[in-house]
Amino acid sequence: MWFSFWRSRDRFSLDELRYLTNQLQKVQIVNDVNKDFVIEALRSIAELLTYGDQHDSSFFEFFMEKQVMGEFIRILKISKTVTVSLQLLQTISILIQNLRREHAIYYMFSNEHVNYLITYSFDFRNEELLSYYISFLRAISGKLNKNTISLLLKTQGEEVVSFPLYVEAIRFAFHEESMVRTAVRAITLNVYHVGDEFVNKFIASAPHSDYFSNLVSFFRDQCINLSKLFSERPKNPCSESVSAMLAKVDEIEDNLYYFSDVISAGIPVVGSLITDNILQLLILPLLFPALQIDADSNLKIGAVTSLYLLCCILRIVKIKDLANTIAAALLYPLETFAANSEVKINGYVSGNNCANESEEPLVDSVTLVNAGQLCVDIPNKATSSQVHPGGIIAERDFSCSHLSLRETLLSYVTDGDDARALGSLSVLATLLQTKELDESMLDGLGILPQRKQHKKLLLQALVGEGSGEEHLFSFESGSARDSISSELDGYLKKLKEQYGVSIGGAAASPRIRRNQDSYRNCRSALVQETKGIWVDLLITVLCDQWKKCKRAIEASSPRKEPKCILLPFQKLNCEDIPAESSFTAGERMSELVKVFVLLHQLQIFSLGRTLPEQPPIQPQIDIPEISRARAAGLDVSGPKPGTEVKFVHALPCRIAFERGKERHFHFLAVSVGTLGWVLLAEELPLKQNYGIVRVAAPLAGTNPRIDDKHARWLHLRIRPSTLPFLDAPKSGTPGETRIKSLVDGRWTLAFRDDESCKTALSMILEEINLQNMEVERRLKPVLDLEL
């Protein structure tokens, strides 16, 4: 019988379609003998009907007249081989995808043939068969509209009681194969965007509404896996581990974009379901508690991953209630959420670079001194000063164990490691840029820009509401009011009644919260840097960071995606560098300046002022007439090797740069504005009291010291003239910068007598003091910001 299939006929003709149909009707069983004919017949029929849809309507009329869809179902029932099932699913998928005539689609979806195929018991242990089946469902969903969807439903009155396409599709929503999951999401979105009222009610009712809670649970598991990958990365810092983490990041962001697409369908109940499940299954029990926990806790998500996820959720999932509830929750103490997650609360905020998110930190720089005070040990954390302060005490009107989530974020900015600082800043910046967030929530958090506060008060004054006029012209802006807006009260009430989150006592004043940050502490630490090892580069680094930070703050959106929080930071490889090295001090100084500039510009931004292009720094002054630099004949450009100098204050000395090769020089220390040098000059034989500079080294960081046993010897530390890690080449290991020969130089100068050695020491200290005073003078305007 099947051999006659190969006889010569016009391939694209109604006769061919009639012939194939007749041959299929004669098939009584499908087995290995005739399966190839059946498969080819099914494929050819799909091809002919697609051709006829575009050129000759009689093809599909014949298809309907002979009830070929019924023949397809019969063939499926009598088939004993999976390859026929595969071809049948592919044939019908091709037909549905390519038929353009509306009545053709209506026919395909009618008579329950499609629903029969949807609910047919295929053997999905065959992965290829599952793939074809999901493609079949996706093809159907692509043709859905308010007219066609009704053909696939079963109803009682006006209530939908059966919708096989949707129900069968979400069975595979969490399949291990990502391609299957992606296809199922496309199917569900096609259903949601039809906008059928009765279908939407079916979707949002039990048990089908469980899909959304299961969806968030699946997403939560992915978040936990991401945190595990992040915590394991330091143990295996290869490109493969970073790639695995980025792949997981892509999956997580795809999930969030799916949530966003579902919400955009405009089904109100579904939006509420997603909001409630994200809060109850992820944010409240996992993300918030992760921000401050004991290192040995069993919490499944770490702080850095939590900050990343909060950023992504706020940026991608555009739900007003979700954004405002998150913002309101930031006013609560962390212990409120930690109690529900069964983790303990630290009495301090960790400020260390923990390799593992759950790894126990080293000795922390932030410790609880006594009730209401937070001691920040500045020397070990953020200064390279040679004159170390004993620490800076920050007065707080609350105990560290009761830090609100907002205060925790601010603590991470100033006292946390790089990843936590960046993560916290990203969360705060995302809050400011979240359009779904009410301005009253930003006002309650104390981060509403002042220009918006004045606009709000002006509107209140114009319409005669409350005391807007009084506050508009008062010293305290709108955010300084102790009362919190009704919008904020509403979300605080919702947290209590709907999610069981509550706390006794009144909320703190936004003005108090705004003044609780560590800007003043950071400013004090920067003042100490004016006496530091890298004081000559302090202004240069500050100006450079000012430009970078200004560009980032004024950008319409964050310059980097949230995933950068999880990526390795470029760091100096300090394995062989002593802690007292100038290189380590330079890196600390640079990090301190970054934090100071950021906090400074955030203060200006929050006050509604315009950020200047350059930091407000005093201009450089001319070299005083009475100075060693002027007496030596130097100008503002300073000395260079080969420069001629006058030996007014120079002292003869000896030094050996190589063993057994002692050389004679004249030593001189000079400062020119914020710069300074120690010079070794050779005397000119034909020009008395003049010499040529042979060696010049930075004055700052020399740390002069007279030898304990030889009173004529003066020891100096010689650091590089530039910060080496700023222009360091990248190594092959992600997040690491390797510098060669990171060792400070050492000079030992031998003078003629003890008095000359003491004079040289005094000369160095006097010039360092002049240099430090000039740097502090120039920085005074930027350090005197009025808050």
Side-chain angles (χ1 to χ4, degrees), residues 20 104 130 138 319 325 329 333 393 543 564 622 640 652 698 735-736 743 767:
L20 294 172
L130 175 60
R138 188 169 185 173
I319 304 179
T325 303
I393 303 296
C543 291
C564 71
D622 294 332
K640 298 179 180 63
E736 182 179 291
V743 179
E767 293 299 318

Side-chain angles (χ1 to χ4, degrees), residues 284-537:
L284 299 180
L286 287 181
L287 299 192
F288 282 164
L291 296 180
Q292 188 183 9
I293 59 172
D294 277 340
D296 59 352
S297 114
N298 292 320
L299 202 63
K300 296 179 180 179
I301 293 182
V304 177
T305 306
S306 173
L307 293 168
Y308 159 73
L309 291 169
L310 286 172
C311 281
C312 286
I313 291 170
L314 287 168
R315 288 185 61 175
I316 298 173
V317 185
K318 306 292 186 181
I319 304 179
K320 181 178 180 179
D321 273 0
L322 180 60
N324 284 281
T325 303
I326 290 173
L330 294 179
L331 300 177
Y332 284 81
L334 183 59
E335 61 186 7
T336 303
F337 307 100
N340 295 329
S341 65
E342 300 179 355
V343 297
K344 294 167 62 180
I345 302 297
N346 268 339
Y348 59 90
V349 178
S350 174
N352 299 287
N353 290 307
C354 295
N356 189 304
E357 286 205 275
S358 60
E359 181 179 328
E360 185 167 354
L362 301 174
V363 178
D364 209 292
S365 64
V366 184
T367 54
L368 189 62
V369 178
N370 48 47
Q373 291 185 337
L374 192 68
C375 178
V376 184
D377 186 6
I378 296 295
N380 292 333
K381 187 67 185 173
T383 184
S384 63
S385 176
Q386 291 171 266
V387 185
H388 296 300
I392 297 175
I393 303 296
E395 294 291 340
R396 305 268 178 139
D397 62 352
F398 55 90
S399 170
C400 289
S401 62
H402 297 284
L403 280 176
S404 70
L405 283 169
R406 175 192 179 278
E407 289 301 324
T408 301
L409 293 178
L410 292 176
S411 297
Y412 280 155
V413 172
T414 54
D415 304 318
D417 57 30
D418 290 341
R420 295 183 186 190
L422 177 59
S424 298
L425 288 169
S426 298
V427 170
L428 294 172
T430 303
L431 286 168
L432 283 169
Q433 295 169 341
T434 300
K435 295 180 181 179
E436 292 74 26
L437 200 62
D438 291 333
E439 286 190 358
S440 60
M441 306 302 293
L442 295 175
D443 198 13
L445 289 170
I447 58 175
L448 180 66
Q450 196 173 63
R451 61 180 180 274
K452 291 189 176 181
Q453 300 165 22
H454 278 257
K455 178 181 177 181
K456 179 179 178 182
L457 291 172
L458 178 60
L459 289 173
Q460 291 177 348
L462 289 173
V463 299
E465 291 184 3
S467 55
E469 183 176 357
E470 175 186 348
H471 285 292
L472 180 62
F473 299 103
S474 67
F475 173 77
E476 294 185 351
S477 64
S479 68
R481 291 169 294 155
D482 291 330
S483 61
I484 298 181
S485 67
S486 59
E487 291 92 344
L488 180 55
D489 285 334
Y491 283 104
L492 293 174
K493 183 179 180 181
K494 182 176 182 179
L495 277 166
K496 179 180 180 180
E497 295 180 353
Q498 190 167 340
Y499 304 111
V501 179
S502 62
I503 181 175
S509 164
R511 179 182 61 82
I512 294 175
R513 289 193 295 273
R514 176 170 288 171
N515 291 335
Q516 285 174 349
D517 62 57
S518 298
Y519 171 71
R520 290 182 176 84
N521 295 338
C522 192
R523 179 174 60 185
S524 298
L526 190 66
V527 171
Q528 296 299 327
E529 285 296 337
T530 63
K531 304 175 180 64
I533 297 174
W534 295 88
V535 62
D536 50 339
L537 293 183

